[in-house]
Amino acid sequence: MSFDEEWASARASAAETVGTRLNQVGGAGGSSNVDLAVNQDKLGWIGHAAYELHSRLRSDGNHARASTSEAATMMTVNGFQTGAAMRTVHDTWNSQLNTLLDACAHISNHLDYSASSQAKVDQDIAASLSVSKINEYLQ
C-alpha cells in the first residue's frame, strides 16, 4: 500500500469516528458519569497539601545549603579539586529546589484561584436562574 493510499484510509476512518460529545447530568442522550466536576473540598485539600509541601521544602531543602557552600569554598581555597564539584552540586541542588518550590507555589495559588473563581461562577449561575424565574412571573 502506498503512502497516499494509507493516508486516505486513515483520514476516512478518522472521519467516521469524529463527533462531539457533551457531558450532561441525566437528560436525553446524556450520561450520569460526568468527566468534569469541581469539588471545593478537593481543590482546597490539594492546594493546602501543595502549600504544606512548599513550606517544608523551603525549610528542609535549605537545611544543608550554607554548610555545602562553605565546604565547597574551603575545598577550593585549600586546593582540592572536589571543591568545584561540590559547588556544582550546591548550585544544581539550589536550582532544582527553587524550581520545585515555584511549582508547588504555582499549584497552590492556581487551586486557590480556581476554587474562588468556580465559587463566583456558581453564584452567577444561581443568580441568573433566580432572575430568570422572576422574569417568567413578570411576563
Side-chain angles (χ1 to χ4, degrees), residues 113-128:
Y113 170 78
S114 295
S116 64
S117 174
Q118 187 60 41
K120 181 166 178 6
V121 167
D122 289 345
Q123 290 172 353
D124 290 346
I125 290 171
S128 295

Side-chain angles (χ1 to χ4, degrees), residues 3-4 10 20 28 38 44 46 48 50-51 61 65 67 70 75 79 83 87 90 105-106 116 126 129 134 136:
F3 173 78
D4 291 331
T20 302
V38 176
I46 294 169
H48 182 69
Y51 175 77
R65 183 178 51 83
S67 58
E70 184 181 341
M75 283 185 208
R87 176 63 60 196
H90 172 266
H106 181 74
S116 64
L129 289 175
I134 292 171
E136 190 175 292

Side-chain angles (χ1 to χ4, degrees), residues 2 9 23-24 27 41 47 57 68 74 92 96-97 121-122 126 131:
S2 74
S9 173
N23 290 327
Q24 300 174 1
D41 293 336
L57 276 173
T68 305
M74 293 307 294
T92 302
Q96 295 298 315
L97 177 63
V121 167
D122 289 345
V131 168

Side-chain angles (χ1 to χ4, degrees), residues 36-49:
L36 177 62
V38 176
N39 184 317
Q40 300 294 337
D41 293 336
K42 288 181 183 176
L43 288 178
W45 183 85
I46 294 169
H48 182 69

